[in-house]
Amino acid sequence: MKSVFALGLGLLSLAAALPATLSASKPPSVNGTRFTIDGETRYFAGTNSYWIGFLTNNKDVDSVLSNIASSGLKVLRVWGFNDVTRKPGSGTVWYQLVSSSGSQINTGADGLQRLDYVVQSAEKRGVKLIVNFVNYWNDYGGIAAYVSAFGGTKESWFTNDKAQAQYRKYIAAVVGRYASSPAIFAWELANEPRCKGCSTDVIFKWASDTSAYIRSLDPAHMITLGDEGFGLPGGTSYPYGTSEGVDFVKNLGVKDLDFGVFHMYPGSWSVPNSFGPGWVKDHAAACKKAGKPCVLEEYGVTSDQCNVEKTWQQASRAADGMAGDMFWQWGDKLSSGQSPNDGNTIYYGSSTATCLITDNVKAINSM
């Protein structure tokens, strides 16, 4: 791996070239099994937008973040990655070219400057961001892009020295741009990391080493894993097992991971929607025992969203150990039309948004 000193010199040069927004206020932090955000300690509501950093119209970014803020949502999770294995044509946003012959981090107008604008807009509106560094899935490059460049498999990616060296270079570039921003809530190692059939030691060690590396770059902000929450006591169905190489309880023990996250998609996991409240309670219990907050970071269904998902929100608000919930995903009107809809999307201004955003925020404010 490259020298930390060499990376540090590069980051200093990069930071000097970018306008930094400094804040006298403390960044979000853990307070028991809750978070303190802008001096206030409480449960929060949030959401996800994987696509906001890929928008090319600044007015769209501002409009979306204004709507999120006015809805009372405190935290937005965004994709801090957009990997390609060959350079796309002009006008296509990409953040990193991953190549065995020489990777390139795109700091241009169609690269990380798009993420820069999201961070700047979030700063102005008091929205805090969870920024993710790589995708387990193939969308927007992900681990598959590294495998294409450096060989191996998705399972061996976690221990592939060349792949991990480039992954760390990318982390350093992103953290270096925003380490002083008051908009950062937390850095996230990966979106839904899995290592199918692997010992749970593989992801545990990778998470330990990577989170320690991030901490060395930025000791001020929180760090989390980004997993689905597989592997914990309380049930015998597929999500409770460790077949995907993930042990939620074990990973809570990683020193430099500040809080636990988990996701919930019963339809994808072949369990009923009624599975939800128990899944929430079991994670909350694990987090309480570990002394760290839990966040229901992604959840969704494609039908009867209000009736199904509000029971999950109620369970999360009531569970000792839970600190927030973030539905997947935010929907809005853009200059090009409606934002992406994967079936789980909840559009701003809809009756479903009233049920799952307005009513949830109201209930949180009365806690």
Side-chain angles (χ1 to χ4, degrees):
M1 295 193 181
K2 292 286 188 180
S3 163
V4 172
F5 292 106
L7 282 172
L9 289 172
L11 290 174
L12 287 172
S13 299
L14 182 60
L18 289 167
T21 302
L22 300 175
S23 173
S25 63
K26 294 181 179 179
S29 60
V30 167
N31 190 328
T33 54
R34 288 280 200 261
F35 297 108
T36 298
I37 307 174
D38 292 335
E40 188 175 18
T41 301
R42 64 187 307 178
Y43 184 101
F44 74 81
T47 187
N48 292 261
S49 173
Y50 73 84
W51 43 263
I52 193 169
F54 312 147
L55 299 178
T56 55
N57 186 325
N58 289 349
K59 290 183 179 179
D60 284 338
V61 174
D62 289 339
S63 175
V64 169
L65 283 165
S66 291
N67 291 339
I68 287 172
S70 66
S71 297
L73 301 179
K74 296 292 187 182
V75 181
L76 175 66
R77 179 169 172 256
V78 302
W79 278 188
F81 59 84
N82 189 349
D83 308 311
V84 298
T85 53
R86 63 183 64 180
K87 287 186 182 180
S90 176
T92 299
V93 176
W94 59 280
Y95 294 169
Q96 178 184 213
L97 169 68
V98 187
S99 171
S100 59
S101 59
S103 298
Q104 178 185 341
I105 296 170
N106 182 7
T107 59
D110 59 353
L112 285 172
Q113 288 180 33
R114 297 314 311 149
L115 189 58
D116 291 348
Y117 193 82
V118 172
V119 174
Q120 292 163 15
S121 185
E123 287 172 356
K124 294 175 183 177
R125 291 160 178 81
V127 175
K128 308 301 181 184
L129 304 173
I130 295 177
V131 179
N132 196 298
F133 295 125
V134 72
N135 201 2
Y136 170 79
W137 308 104
N138 297 349
D139 307 278
Y140 300 96
I143 290 176
Y146 289 85
V147 170
S148 175
F150 303 114
T153 63
K154 282 189 173 183
E155 288 71 35
S156 66
W157 178 84
F158 297 95
T159 55
N160 183 318
D161 288 344
K162 290 182 178 179
Q164 290 302 308
Q166 184 57 40
Y167 169 64
R168 288 194 177 196
K169 286 180 184 177
Y170 185 71
I171 288 173
V174 175
V175 171
R177 295 178 88 83
Y178 314 125
S180 62
S181 173
I184 299 302
F185 182 82
W187 306 115
E188 188 165 85
L189 274 57
N191 174 53
E192 301 189 335
R194 297 180 176 191
C195 191
K196 192 172 185 65
C198 301
S199 163
T200 57
D201 290 342
V202 174
I203 284 182
F204 178 84
K205 185 178 187 307
W206 166 80
S208 299
D209 294 345
T210 306
S211 58
Y213 174 69
I214 296 170
R215 184 76 73 206
S216 74
L217 299 174
D218 177 10
H221 288 102
M222 296 185 292
I223 305 168
T224 194
L225 180 52
D227 59 306
E228 293 153 283
F230 296 153
L232 78 163
T236 57
S237 59
Y238 157 72
Y240 281 90
T242 59
S243 63
E244 301 292 353
V246 179
D247 184 329
F248 180 79
V249 174
K250 183 176 183 176
N251 294 335
L252 281 174
V254 174
K255 178 174 67 72
D256 289 303
L257 295 180
D258 297 284
F259 59 97
V261 300
F262 63 102
H263 300 175
M264 182 152 56
Y265 295 103
S268 299
W269 299 343
S270 300
V271 294
N273 290 335
S274 58
F275 165 90
W279 183 244
V280 171
K281 292 173 185 175
D282 291 337
H283 282 85
C287 281
K288 182 181 178 182
K289 185 175 181 179
K292 294 183 177 182
C294 252
V295 177
L296 176 52
E297 185 184 56
E298 283 190 30
Y299 57 92
V301 291
T302 58
S303 63
D304 200 19
Q305 290 169 301
C306 175
N307 289 324
V308 172
E309 294 180 37
K310 71 180 181 182
T311 65
W312 302 347
Q313 292 177 337
Q314 290 165 353
S316 185
R317 293 195 306 266
D320 190 3
M322 293 301 302
D325 67 83
M326 305 172 64
F327 68 88
W328 181 279
Q329 64 170 327
W330 179 268
D332 218 321
K333 185 177 181 181
L334 308 175
S335 59
S336 57
Q338 295 279 53
S339 65
N341 184 5
D342 64 355
N344 299 287
T345 306
I346 298 173
Y347 282 97
Y348 175 68
S350 67
S351 59
T352 306
T354 299
C355 172
L356 295 176
I357 302 174
T358 307
D359 292 352
N360 190 32
V361 169
K362 183 177 180 181
I364 289 168
N365 290 339
S366 65
M367 289 172 67

